[in-house]
Amino acid sequence: HKYEDLYLGREKLLISIAESYKDELLKLYKKYSEKRFDGVYVEMELKSIKARMVKNVCLSLLARLDSNDVHRLIKKQYESAEKASDKMTAFSLYLKSKAKDKLELLEKQGKIASKNLVSWETFLGCVARNESSDALDIIKKIEKSDSFRIEQANDQRALYATFAMNKRKSLLTKEGRNFVRDVMIKLAPINEYNTMHVLEAFGKLDYLEDKDQVECVQVLVDVMNKLDKEKVASVYNNIIRILNNSKKAVKSYEKVKGKLNL
């Protein structure tokens, strides 16, 4: 449950691989991008899946370099991709990068995706999983767009629940906690079921550092205090359940904030 440490450790390894084997990765990327297969349509498609998987793994590793030449390579794949998986892989990698025009690509893909419900949900999921330093700003930008509909279950699930499960951002940062708190307060009266999906992120509070336990319990207390327990009984009672099962976290909270009456 050391979410930040695990993420940073993994990124350090992947960056080291990309730096040490950049030339080899570029050659592999080119090789598997250009592979062509014979046979009937289904047979060719099956054979191409592994090639595209290798190609996208290579691109994902190269993306860790966050250099201009890699940005161009990612954008080229996005613009020329024939398969949705290739296009969305490139989109996700570009969104995580420091490319200067990534918000333009975000707007472009948002307009394309908004024309199809499945594509829109995939787009929202990519935005919610984004690991860039400005990830939350991007999420809030999409949340305010005309295409995002908070009353739609798929929009709620793809953007809010997906972000909540990225615990290094939703639980371990002040901005993430505030966002998740506000989401649960406004979402609970609309859809209790998806609000409880967001709540799932708080299921292992006892494993967090003491300071994070205090802040996360405070989020749940704030949400509970804002909700009408009669109108959103499922959400309210689940918060009580989580707190009752998070004895260590509640104890840490009470040392700082005082007695918590449940």
Side-chain angles (χ1 to χ4, degrees):
H1 300 279
K2 299 276 189 177
Y3 308 120
E4 182 68 15
D5 292 344
L6 286 168
Y7 174 79
L8 293 176
R10 182 175 183 271
E11 286 298 295
K12 187 175 181 180
L13 285 170
L14 296 178
I15 290 169
S16 179
I17 292 169
E19 289 175 342
S20 300
Y21 299 100
K22 180 180 180 181
D23 290 343
E24 289 86 347
L25 288 167
L26 286 169
K27 288 177 183 177
L28 279 172
Y29 177 81
K30 186 174 188 295
K31 174 184 174 181
Y32 283 94
S33 295
E34 296 174 351
K35 264 187 173 292
R36 297 294 179 265
F37 302 95
D38 297 324
V40 297
Y41 176 78
V42 173
E43 187 179 2
M44 288 190 295
E45 286 296 297
L46 289 172
K47 290 178 180 178
S48 73
I49 289 173
K50 287 186 178 180
R52 288 191 285 112
M53 288 174 66
V54 174
K55 176 186 70 175
N56 286 326
V57 168
C58 291
L59 190 62
S60 177
L61 285 166
L62 289 165
R64 263 69 187 189
L65 301 174
D66 215 2
S67 56
N68 290 333
D69 60 330
V70 174
H71 294 166
R72 288 192 292 271
L73 188 64
I74 296 171
K75 194 170 184 181
K76 181 180 178 182
Q77 173 165 311
Y78 170 83
E79 292 174 341
S80 63
E82 296 178 356
K83 303 295 182 181
S85 58
D86 288 351
K87 194 176 193 69
M88 296 313 295
T89 294
F91 172 71
S92 296
L93 294 174
Y94 210 71
L95 202 59
K96 183 182 176 182
S97 77
K98 295 177 181 176
K100 294 179 180 179
D101 63 340
K102 73 175 186 178
L103 293 183
E104 295 174 18
L105 193 69
L106 172 73
E107 185 175 351
K108 177 181 178 180
Q109 182 58 30
K111 288 180 179 178
I112 294 171
S114 65
K115 298 175 182 178
N116 179 283
L117 289 177
V118 175
S119 297
W120 178 245
E121 187 169 355
T122 302
F123 169 77
L124 291 177
C126 289
V127 170
R129 284 188 291 271
N130 179 28
E131 295 282 7
S132 67
S133 58
D134 58 347
L136 199 50
D137 291 334
I138 292 173
I139 288 173
K140 290 178 179 178
K141 180 181 177 69
I142 296 303
E143 184 186 30
K144 293 176 182 176
S145 74
D146 293 337
S147 299
F148 181 78
R149 296 154 298 172
I150 193 172
E151 72 280 2
Q152 295 296 317
N154 60 315
D155 287 26
Q156 302 159 6
R157 180 176 57 249
L159 192 66
Y160 295 145
T162 301
F163 173 76
M165 296 314 295
N166 182 357
K167 297 175 186 179
R168 64 176 287 264
K169 286 186 177 292
S170 63
L171 299 187
L172 303 187
T173 67
K174 181 179 179 180
E175 296 80 6
R177 289 190 296 265
N178 289 342
F179 180 74
V180 171
R181 178 198 63 204
D182 294 343
V183 162
M184 288 192 287
I185 291 170
K186 64 186 176 184
L187 185 58
I190 302 171
N191 190 321
E192 288 189 74
Y193 182 76
N194 277 340
T195 306
M196 287 190 286
H197 278 314
V198 176
L199 268 176
E200 288 176 12
F202 292 80
K204 300 291 184 181
L205 296 187
D206 281 353
Y207 295 94
L208 303 181
E209 299 290 339
D210 290 356
K211 61 182 178 63
D212 295 316
Q213 290 176 354
V214 173
E215 298 302 330
C216 288
V217 170
Q218 185 64 63
V219 168
L220 295 179
V221 171
D222 290 345
V223 173
M224 191 168 57
N225 289 338
K226 286 285 186 179
L227 298 182
D228 185 326
K229 63 180 179 180
E230 301 297 330
K231 293 182 179 179
V232 290
S234 295
V235 174
Y236 191 92
N237 291 332
N238 266 280
I239 292 175
I240 297 292
R241 177 186 58 80
I242 289 171
L243 292 174
N244 281 329
N245 290 334
S246 305
K247 299 187 185 303
K248 184 181 175 184
V250 169
K251 186 175 180 180
S252 297
Y253 175 87
E254 291 181 333
K255 285 180 181 178
V256 178
K257 306 280 189 174
K259 182 68 176 175
L260 179 59
N261 296 313
L262 299 176

